[in-house]
Amino acid sequence: MTELEFYIFEDELWCMYPNKKNERVTEDKTELIKWMIARIRECYPEAYKALSECYKKSAYNVPYFQFLIVNRFCRCNFGGIDNVKDVDSGGHFNFEHVSCPLRGECKYECGICGPKFNSKLSGSELRVMKLMYEGHNVENVADLLYLSPNTIKNHIKSVYLKLGIHEKAEFIDYAHRNNLFNA
């Protein structure tokens, strides 16, 4: 999928494509809907589960069910038109802070709105990488977690292999892009 920008116009979800073509997102936009469903399910499984539960009464009408999930996910995470594409050329989502009258009391906040990214990293790897993300060096992380520097280096190496990256700057970009530590 190419770069996409979602926005609300007259209380309906719209999508702007790279060629500046604007289309209202409806259940008949099957290619877009199926692609978004796959990304939501893969990267934000908790959000997908919550959305499926919200719309379970429509589950027998699959195109409509999938449209409802994508519509709500986009409304909760992508606001208006801006200079940062909501879906970049790599298929990564760039969430925005969306104005919502239920902000602070919605049971789906940090579930559907600003969902947690499924990083496929272990809890130990995430603890190490969060400290690295915060600017700590290997020795400091080892001291904080009561582990050897060699163990910390092995966790870092494992994370880099899993994510296909080669240096700390790439990890920081990955963590920022995927809202890894901001949920």
Side-chain angles (χ1 to χ4, degrees):
M1 190 62 50
T2 59
E3 295 180 340
L4 303 172
E5 180 72 21
F6 292 99
Y7 61 98
I8 306 301
F9 177 70
E10 294 184 355
D11 205 34
E12 294 183 312
L13 180 65
W14 286 72
C15 182
M16 182 191 317
Y17 296 90
N19 64 3
K20 303 294 183 204
K21 180 180 177 184
N22 292 274
E23 289 184 333
R24 187 167 63 95
V25 179
T26 61
E27 66 184 275
D28 65 334
K29 303 292 182 218
T30 55
E31 184 180 330
L32 173 65
I33 300 286
K34 285 182 180 184
W35 186 86
M36 287 291 293
I37 286 287
R39 292 295 296 156
I40 295 166
R41 188 182 295 136
E42 175 189 353
C43 299
Y44 304 96
E46 292 174 25
Y48 181 78
K49 182 179 176 183
L51 287 160
S52 294
E53 183 63 28
C54 286
Y55 299 112
K56 67 183 175 187
K57 290 181 180 179
S58 300
Y60 291 110
N61 182 347
V62 175
Y64 185 62
F65 175 71
Q66 291 179 336
F67 162 74
L68 290 173
I69 289 172
V70 171
N71 184 56
R72 172 86 173 267
F73 185 85
C74 290
R75 285 175 179 268
C76 288
N77 293 297
F78 309 125
I81 298 173
D82 57 18
N83 292 332
V84 178
K85 297 299 180 201
D86 296 328
V87 180
D88 67 21
S89 59
H92 301 102
F93 294 158
N94 297 303
F95 294 140
E96 301 167 9
H97 182 77
V98 177
S99 177
C100 178
L102 297 177
R103 183 80 55 213
E105 62 183 71
C106 178
K107 73 178 188 175
Y108 296 112
E109 200 162 350
C110 297
I112 295 172
C113 303
K116 185 174 181 341
F117 181 72
N118 179 18
S119 68
K120 299 177 184 159
L121 301 179
S122 72
S124 297
E125 290 166 339
L126 283 169
R127 282 189 292 281
V128 167
M129 296 312 291
K130 182 172 189 203
L131 291 169
M132 295 298 292
Y133 178 81
E134 292 171 351
H136 297 278
N137 63 32
V138 170
E139 290 75 23
N140 198 356
V141 172
D143 287 343
L144 289 168
L145 297 178
Y146 302 100
L147 298 169
S148 75
N150 192 47
T151 300
I152 300 303
K153 289 177 187 174
N154 285 335
H155 281 309
I156 293 168
K157 190 183 304 181
S158 175
V159 168
Y160 287 4
L161 280 170
K162 284 181 181 181
L163 301 179
I165 59 177
H166 302 92
E167 58 186 42
K168 184 177 177 181
E170 288 178 286
F171 177 77
I172 289 171
D173 180 55
Y174 171 87
H176 178 71
R177 255 193 349 256
N178 294 298
N179 200 25
L180 197 56
F181 301 121
N182 300 330

